Each structure stands twice: as C-alpha cells, then as structure tokens.
Amino acid sequence: MSKPGALAQLLAWRRQVGRTLNLMVGMPEYDNYVAHMQKSHPDQRVMSYEEFFRERQEARYGGKGRVGRCC
C-alpha cells in the first residue's frame, strides 16, 4: 500500500469514526444540514458551524436557562 493511499484511508476512517460518534450522541452532521438548507430553503440563511452546534446542543440538553435533569 502506498503512503498517500494509506493516508487517504486513515483520513476516511477518521471521518467515519467522527460521524459515528456524533450520531451516537445525537449530533447530526453539519454538512447534511447545509445541503438540506440549500436544497429546501435557499432563501434562508445557513447557520455557521458554531451556531449549528450550539443550537443542536440546546435542543438536545436544554438551554436558555432550562436545566435538564433525569432525577
């Protein structure tokens, strides 16, 4: 296996592991969000990655002063 090919495989594996971990904790992919917004809502502004991450965290765990607790 050549070094460039091995590096490409390693990077692809790293991306896939990152996607899997994000999905395991309920974090959808930003790229999918951007594609959806461009296709379905071209007239609306696309959030930056930071805005998207913050919005997803608040939606999942509560935000804006709410405290999410299991007990």
Side-chain angles (χ1 to χ4, degrees):
M1 182 182 295
S2 68
K3 287 185 181 182
L7 180 60
Q9 283 185 327
L10 180 62
L11 292 174
W13 178 81
R14 182 176 177 237
R15 278 190 299 274
Q16 188 59 42
V17 168
R19 287 183 187 126
T20 300
L21 292 173
N22 283 340
L23 291 172
M24 286 173 64
V25 297
M27 178 57 84
E29 288 191 44
Y30 180 70
D31 294 340
N32 290 342
Y33 159 74
V34 171
H36 168 77
M37 289 298 289
Q38 290 173 341
K39 180 181 177 188
S40 302
H41 310 284
D43 57 321
Q44 295 180 12
R45 185 181 77 81
V46 175
M47 290 186 279
S48 69
Y49 180 81
E50 291 77 15
E51 292 169 323
F52 175 78
F53 182 83
R54 191 176 322 115
E55 191 274 332
R56 292 287 79 218
Q57 290 291 309
E58 288 176 0
R60 180 169 175 89
Y61 299 112
K64 311 277 186 203
R66 296 186 327 201
V67 177
R69 295 189 177 151
C70 65
C71 305

